[in-house]
Amino acid sequence: SEFSIGSALLLICIVLSCLSPFFLQVRNIKNILSYVSIAGTMSAGLTVVMLMGCMDLSQYSVMAMVGMFTASMVKAGLNPFLVIIIAITMGACVGSITGFVVTKMHIVPIIATIGMQLIARSIAYLSTNGIYIMVDNPVFYSIGYEEILGLPYLVWVLLLVNIVLSFILNNTAFGRRIYAVGGNAQACALSGISVSKMKMTGYIISGITAGIAAVLCTSQVSAAYPTAGNGQEMDCSAAVFLGGLAVGGGKGSILGTFIGVTLIAVLLN
């Protein structure tokens, strides 16, 4: 499936480069990668959840909520590195709450995550009465605008997240259990694997990537606003499915998801 979607991406790039002389310019490619950095980071975390047959539609709303608190903390004068750690921790906490609702309260994942989506978006609006917050900090400016080895920091964060999660899925016992839970959760439970703990961990990972995306989004636009990602809730899910992940879970990859989100970004570009 990675080969098929990769071939489609390559074909579309060839067609667009023929239609527009600006498509293959370095500036435009960096624009595409900058867009992918936010959606691609969250899509990687979502892949872990969906591989186990679950769903998370709350990521963009969580990103907006965490972004508002991140900007507020920066404006209050907190150390920016501490703020980044707090933002990622907030994402993990929200993910754990969602995981608890799904695994312990046995609420259908799509219902639970839509509920969390609405709660997080409401908190994002209420935290500042719907007013955006400007971020004027050199650390966040560096993340959003500066480059290393010709690529923006945003892209390096994207690559790091995808490489780490891909390694975990392909080279660890935990990763093999994720695929196993998606393939047959009942058989996993009978073999001694705690399916609820696996799903809980998956939602925490999804929340962490939403927290990282909040930092990236805030850095990219030098501001936080409660409408961030509004209307894009299905983008990450579309990228994951486009990358070849099976609807019921148990089959898929981080690489496929990365190609899928890149394809969407190219089409939007």
Side-chain angles (χ1 to χ4, degrees):
S1 59
E2 289 92 350
F3 177 78
S4 299
I5 190 66
S7 300
L9 175 61
L10 179 62
L11 179 61
I12 290 173
C13 288
I14 293 174
V15 171
L16 292 178
S17 62
C18 294
L19 294 175
S20 172
F22 306 105
F23 179 76
L24 290 180
Q25 288 187 355
V26 174
R27 182 178 179 181
N28 187 55
I29 292 174
K30 288 181 179 179
N31 285 337
I32 294 174
L33 292 175
S34 294
Y35 172 84
V36 171
S37 63
I38 295 173
T41 298
M42 290 192 291
S43 295
L46 181 60
T47 300
V48 177
V49 172
M50 293 179 66
L51 279 171
M52 292 185 281
C54 294
M55 174 62 74
D56 190 354
L57 297 176
S58 65
Q59 282 185 310
Y60 271 105
S61 294
V62 173
M63 179 192 77
M65 181 190 71
V66 174
M68 296 303 291
F69 284 106
T70 297
S72 297
M73 288 185 286
V74 172
K75 192 175 182 179
L78 269 68
N79 183 288
F81 296 103
L82 177 61
V83 171
I84 292 172
I85 294 173
I86 293 174
I88 296 173
T89 304
M90 286 182 64
C93 290
V94 175
S96 66
I97 295 172
T98 304
F100 177 84
V101 173
V102 172
T103 60
K104 300 302 181 183
M105 299 178 68
H106 305 290
I107 305 298
V108 177
I110 192 168
I111 301 300
T113 56
I114 288 176
M116 180 56 73
Q117 174 192 118
L118 297 175
I119 292 170
R121 185 70 67 180
S122 299
I123 294 174
Y125 275 103
L126 292 172
S127 62
T128 60
N129 293 320
I131 301 173
Y132 68 89
I133 304 174
M134 298 300 297
V135 175
D136 184 14
N137 182 276
V139 173
F140 281 81
Y141 178 86
S142 297
I143 295 173
Y145 296 98
E146 293 187 1
E147 300 179 355
I148 182 171
L149 299 178
L151 289 176
Y153 280 100
L154 297 168
V155 178
W156 287 111
V157 174
L158 163 71
L159 294 176
L160 178 62
V161 170
N162 278 263
I163 290 171
V164 169
L165 289 180
S166 180
F167 178 83
I168 291 173
L169 289 177
N170 296 320
N171 299 281
T172 66
F174 174 75
R176 289 190 289 273
R177 288 176 181 176
I178 288 175
Y179 282 101
V181 169
N184 193 326
Q186 186 176 4
C188 288
L190 293 174
S191 66
I193 297 175
S194 176
V195 175
S196 61
K197 286 184 179 179
M198 293 298 298
K199 290 183 178 181
M200 173 73 79
T201 306
Y203 277 107
I204 291 174
I205 292 173
S206 179
I208 289 173
T209 56
I212 295 172
V215 174
L216 298 181
C217 182
T218 303
S219 302
Q220 190 177 47
V221 297
S222 295
Y225 46 100
T227 57
N230 196 18
Q232 297 177 279
E233 287 80 7
M234 295 301 296
D235 286 7
C236 292
S237 303
V240 175
F241 283 127
L242 194 58
L245 188 135
V247 176
K251 179 183 177 183
S253 69
I254 296 294
L255 176 60
T257 297
F258 181 81
I259 297 173
V261 74
T262 304
L263 177 58
I264 292 175
V266 167
L267 293 174
L268 290 175
N269 177 263

